[in-house]
């Protein structure tokens, strides 16, 4: 190691090391820096290096190492307090608190030693003149740790009653501890009230709201506030993930997964932190972590997944069942060490209670990409169970007939149960006919022969009408298989036959309707397979419509209590809707689909309405009727109820999310996009439909300003989004949104990476506006990330693109940004010259565009851009001269700045009343420059001009009030200055 030759170099190195990620590497560097400090032979250098080492140990997995540097610091203080400066004296007393909590977390340190240390802390704080607040807080930590609840309550009250001083923990940390105590006492709601200022960002620090977000998860679930718990998990885990020292908070997130049906995500979290299984520097957080590992593994084992491979301690492969046992044993062993030291059973009891928790939510969708729970799919509530030995064949037949006669879901499964029970049993022809008929329905094209067999059996049983209906069903299956001509031939014979029977009274309406509906279905297939495409054969359409209307005429007046006939009528309306759509009348199709849906619902068959409500919604959306689209989608979800399959449910939620999002209802849209993502994962379509749902969800969260949640979801979507499946526009938009989120979160380097990646894709698009915008945004992020050279390059590229697009505003803004970068680059005397040139170029571009623009609105916008460029030029010139520069240089720079600012005032004045606020702001800037140039009369005149501009203006307007106040301040200062002179 080289470069540490003086105290300043040491301080720079420690500052750089403080910015490194927590962990052993940072700790090792701190140890090297202490060795270098000792070579400098400067006591304060050693003191600062020890303090740095103590800090990085405290915020790492090697927390147990901090006691040695602290003991050395304390000895140095006792021997030579004059070697400590004011800051290090404060730091020494501050870390007394770390020692107290650190000792509690090490079970080998006797309780008597901790109590002795508490007394030492109290004594030294009193000598230093500090409040008792921190001492009583430390006493509370000891009492609550060992389970002395009475002493803890007393210390808690004394802690809150004592005055806050410089030794008190920050507000955020204190509120976290106070809320945790309320949770431990069973007062979840009170805890969340205490945490509210931290959660809302009023109080923050290096580790808050990280820990408060983690601690709030289980209380929120217990209170039934699942949506907030989800949000806190997504937001909080993002904060905790990179911080090695936060194993306890990390454990809270694993616990949340185990309690909310997100076991698969819990496993992913464990896989991210293998070292947490073995890190030994902080046994207390190790106890928390092992306890929730046992909880999660017990949950998996209870789901029948004890043999599943799971991440665990390195060195061997683990199953959930094995890790459940191991983690429980290790956790209880650790708890026993603490309890032996403490003389109680408190921590052991708490660990057992934590491990033995039951899920608080069966399944809470998170929206992020995660493997589906690898469990067997649950049997739907309405599914038919396997027959028990007690159930005889007659019972099964009765139930199957009931389900099929009333068109209930799972009728086919019921007939399958009948078929299994009927093997080897002699049955009547009618029974065998029904079994064959329903087996045929379940087999698709392979069931055509079975339909013929069923027809023979129906005929044998004396039901010629049902025999023809079975043949007609077989004909429809042929049509579905593409054999439309063959199907038409078969159905024609069945049609003639059933009409003859019906006219003779030899069969009923139900059998006749079945044949007529099959015929209509076959003819509809002919329509759909018509090779004429967009201009279908008029005769084929007419034949299909006539067949449908024949069905409707037959069943009209006969539906009553007959569900099957009612369903025929509803399906007929849907067929007419299809024909209307095929004929180009989308509005009629929407009305007819709605009529079909209403008929199914009226017949007590709402699940059949789902398809047509969805079709109606899609058409309504295309027609611009978003109100009808929203109604239809909500109805589809409602009518599908528990019978909707996961893929269909995902599609409906996603469509509704898009409709709601288009109407500006982002919060509700996000809820449906979340459901869409969840059901896509359940359907095994996470990489396709699920990725699109996450893309949409991230956008809706972003619109609500929920940056951290949106970032988690968008990052989760990206691995599955592809140009081939989702389109490169979706990939670019996701990167773009993610860049916006990261920018808002202050992660500027990462934001720049996302924006540059999106720009690289957009580079290939014919229209280059998005490419230019992304390049410009990436430049902004690079500048904010402290990468001026890269930022200038990106702004230059954006400028070229704006110029090629004829977008003067974008070009001028890129030039202004480059000017500011040049000024801040600290590249010597030429940097100010480069900045001036760039600002001048921006003014020239505006003026040139104004010369050739005839459109008045465009002229107004360009004039405003010119004014802002003059204004920024003035600010840049005023800042281009160093405070220590000679008076003549400062005077010259301010004169130039005033000239540009005066130009800005004139430009904004030309825009009239619409730019009054902008003009007065620049007028005041010019006034302050006049004051700096010792021209009080001119400055006062500027102030009076601003006051005149607001004569009679609304006093309640914040901008008006602010401008008046500043103008009055400037005027008063100048009048005092003039009077003094």
């Amino acid at each position: 190691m080289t470069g540490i030759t003086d105290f300043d170099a040491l301080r720079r190195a420690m500052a750089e090391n403080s910015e490194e990620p927590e962990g052993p590497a940072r700790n090792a560097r701190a140890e090297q820096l202490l060795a270098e400090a000792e070579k400098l032979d400067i006591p304060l250098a050693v003191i600062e290096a020890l303090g740095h080492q103590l800090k990085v140990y405290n915020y790492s997995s090697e927390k147990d190492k901090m006691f040695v540097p602290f003991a050395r610091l304390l000895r140095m203080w006792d021997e030579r307090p004059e070697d400590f400066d004011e800051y290090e004296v404060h730091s020494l007393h501050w870390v007394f608190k770390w020692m107290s909590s650190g000792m509690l977390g090490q079970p080998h340190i006797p309780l008597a030693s901790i109590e002795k240390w508490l007394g030492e802390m109290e004594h030294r704080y009193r000598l230093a003149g500090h409040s008792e607040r921190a001492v009583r807080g430390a006493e509370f930590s000891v009492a609550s740790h060992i389970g002395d609840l009475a002493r803890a309550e007393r210390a808690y009250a004394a802690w809150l009653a004592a005055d806050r001083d410089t030794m008190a923990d920050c507000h955020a940390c204190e509120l976290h501890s106070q809320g945790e105590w309320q949770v431990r006492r069973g007062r979840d709601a009170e805890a969340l009230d205490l945490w509210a200022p931290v959660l809302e960002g009023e109080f923050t620090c290096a580790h808050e709201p990280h820990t408060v977000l983690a601690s709030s998860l289980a209380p929120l679930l217990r209170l039934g506030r699942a949506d907030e718990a989800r949000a806190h998990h997504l937001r909080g885990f993002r904060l905790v993930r990179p911080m090695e020292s936060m194993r306890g908070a990390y454990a809270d997130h694993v616990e949340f997964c185990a309690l909310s049906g997100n076991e698969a995500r819990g496993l992913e979290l464990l896989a991210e932190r293998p070292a947490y299984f073995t890190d030994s520097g902080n046994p207390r957080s190790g106890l928390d972590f092992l306890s929730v590992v046992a909880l999660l593994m017990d949950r998996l084992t209870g789901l029948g997944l004890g043999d599943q491979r799971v991440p665990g301690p390195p060195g061997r492969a683990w199953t959930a069942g094995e890790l459940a046992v191991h983690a429980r044993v290790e956790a209880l062993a650790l708890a026993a060490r603490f309890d032996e030291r403490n003389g109680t059973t408190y921590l052991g009891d708490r660990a057992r209670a934590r491990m033995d928790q039951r899920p608080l939510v069966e399944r809470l969708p998170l929206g992020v990409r995660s493997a589906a729970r690898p469990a067997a799919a649950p049997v739907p509530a309405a599914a038919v169970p396997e027959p028990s030995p007690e159930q005889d064949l007659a019972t099964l037949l009765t139930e199957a007939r009931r389900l099929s006669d009333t068109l209930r879901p799972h009728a086919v499964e019921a007939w399958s149960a009948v078929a299994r029970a009927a093997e080897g049993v002699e049955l009547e022809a009618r029974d065998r006919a029904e079994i064959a008929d329903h087996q045929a329905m379940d087999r698709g094209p392979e069931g055509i022969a079975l339909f013929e067999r069923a027809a023979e059996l129906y005929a044998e049983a004396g039901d010629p009408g049902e025999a023809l209906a079975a043949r007609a069903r077989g004909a429809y299956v042929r049509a579905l298989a593409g054999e439309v001509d063959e199907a038409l031939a078969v159905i024609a014979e069945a049609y003639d036959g059933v009409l003859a029977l019906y006219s003779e009274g030899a069969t009923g309406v139900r059998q006749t309707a079945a044949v007529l509906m099959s015929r209509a279905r076959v003819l509809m297939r002919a329509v759909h397979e018509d090779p004429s495409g967009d201009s279908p054969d008029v005769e084929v359409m007419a034949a299909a419509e006539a067949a449908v209307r024949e069905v409707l005429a037959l069943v009209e007046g006969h539906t009553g209590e007959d569900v099957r006939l009612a369903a025929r009528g509803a399906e007929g309306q849907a067929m007419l809707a299809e024909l209307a759509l095929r004929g180009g009348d989308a509005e009629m199709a929407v009305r007819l689909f709605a009529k079909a849906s209403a008929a199914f619902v009226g017949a007590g068959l709402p699940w059949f309405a789902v398809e047509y409500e969805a079709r109606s919604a899609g058409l309504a959306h295309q027609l611009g009727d978003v109100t009808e689209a929203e109604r239809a989608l909500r109805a589809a979800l409602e009518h599908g109820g528990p019978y909707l399959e996961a893929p269909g449910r995902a599609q409906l939620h996603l469509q509704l999310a898009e409709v709601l999002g288009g109407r500006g209802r982002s919060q509700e849209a996000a809820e449906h996009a979340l459901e869409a993502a969840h059901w896509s994962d359940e359907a095994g379509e996470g990489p396709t439909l699920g990725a699109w749902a996450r893309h949409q969800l991230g956008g809706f969260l972003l619109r609500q300003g929920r940056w951290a949640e949106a970032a988690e979801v968008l990052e989760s979507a990206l691995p599955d989004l592809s140009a081939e499946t989702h389109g490169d526009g979706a990939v670019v938009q996701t990167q773009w949104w993610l860049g916006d989120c990261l920018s808002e979160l202050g992660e500027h380097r990462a934001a720049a990476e996302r924006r540059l990646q999106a720009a690289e894709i957009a580079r290939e698009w014919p229209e280059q506006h998005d490419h230019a915008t992304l390049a410009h945004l990436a430049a902004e992020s690079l500048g904010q990330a402290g990468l001026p050279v890269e930022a200038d390059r990106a702004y230059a590229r954006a400028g070229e693109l704006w110029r090629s697009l004829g977008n003067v505003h974008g070009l001028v803004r890129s030039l202004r940004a480059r000017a500011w970068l040049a000024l801040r680059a600290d590249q010597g005397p030429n940097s100010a010259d480069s900045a001036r040139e760039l600002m001048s170029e921006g003014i020239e571009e505006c003026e040139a565009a104004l010369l050739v623009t005839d459109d008045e609105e465009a002229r107004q916008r360009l004039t405003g851009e010119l004014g802002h460029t003059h204004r920024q030029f003035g600010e840049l010139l005023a800042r281009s001269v160093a405070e220590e520069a000679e008076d003549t240089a400062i005077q010259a720079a301010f004169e130039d700045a005033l000239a540009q600012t005066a130009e800005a005032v004139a430009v904004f004045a030309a825009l009239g009343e619409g730019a009054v606020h902008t003009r007065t702001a620049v007028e005041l800037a010019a006034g302050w420059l006049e004051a700096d140039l010792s021209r009080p009369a001119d400055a006062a005149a500027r102030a009076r001009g601003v006051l005149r501009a607001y004569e009679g203006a609304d006093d309640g307007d914040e901008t008006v009030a602010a401008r008046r106040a500043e103008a009055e301040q400037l005027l008063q200062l100048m009048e005092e200055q003039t009077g003094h002179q």
Side-chain angles (χ1 to χ4, degrees), residues 488 495 516 519-527 537-551 575-576 579:
L488 285 169
Y495 172 72
L516 267 57
R519 178 170 175 267
R521 289 170 177 170
V522 171
L523 287 166
M524 289 296 295
R525 291 305 304 167
V527 170
D537 187 289
V538 175
E539 290 184 12
V540 176
M541 291 270 288
E545 182 175 350
V548 173
R549 294 196 181 280
E550 191 173 4
V551 173
M575 287 177 169
L576 291 178
L579 290 168

Side-chain angles (χ1 to χ4, degrees), residues 252-281:
D252 289 339
H253 285 279
V254 176
E255 177 185 50
F256 164 80
C257 293
L259 297 178
S260 63
N262 287 287
E263 297 84 3
R265 180 164 172 83
L267 293 177
E268 292 170 3
L269 267 57
L270 296 186
E272 282 192 37
R273 285 291 191 183
Y276 276 173
F277 285 99
T278 53
D279 286 344
S280 59

Side-chain angles (χ1 to χ4, degrees), residues 809-821:
H809 299 278
L811 171 59
V812 170
R813 289 168 189 176
S814 67
L815 289 168
R816 292 200 306 247
R818 292 181 66 198
W820 284 108
L821 282 172

Side-chain angles (χ1 to χ4, degrees), residues 16-32 52-65 207 240-247 273 275-276 279 281:
E16 291 169 2
N17 195 42
S18 293
E19 297 302 314
E20 292 298 311
E22 296 177 350
R26 187 170 74 156
N27 295 353
R29 175 63 171 154
E31 291 163 4
Q32 293 173 340
H52 173 65
Q53 188 183 73
L54 197 157
K55 179 179 179 180
V56 299
Y57 283 155
N58 185 60
Y59 295 117
S60 78
S61 61
E62 298 179 309
K63 202 178 181 78
D64 55 335
K65 289 185 175 182
H207 288 78
V240 168
R241 181 188 279 130
M243 305 185 78
E244 185 204 46
S245 65
M246 303 194 75
R247 180 164 58 175
R273 285 291 191 183
Y276 276 173
D279 286 344

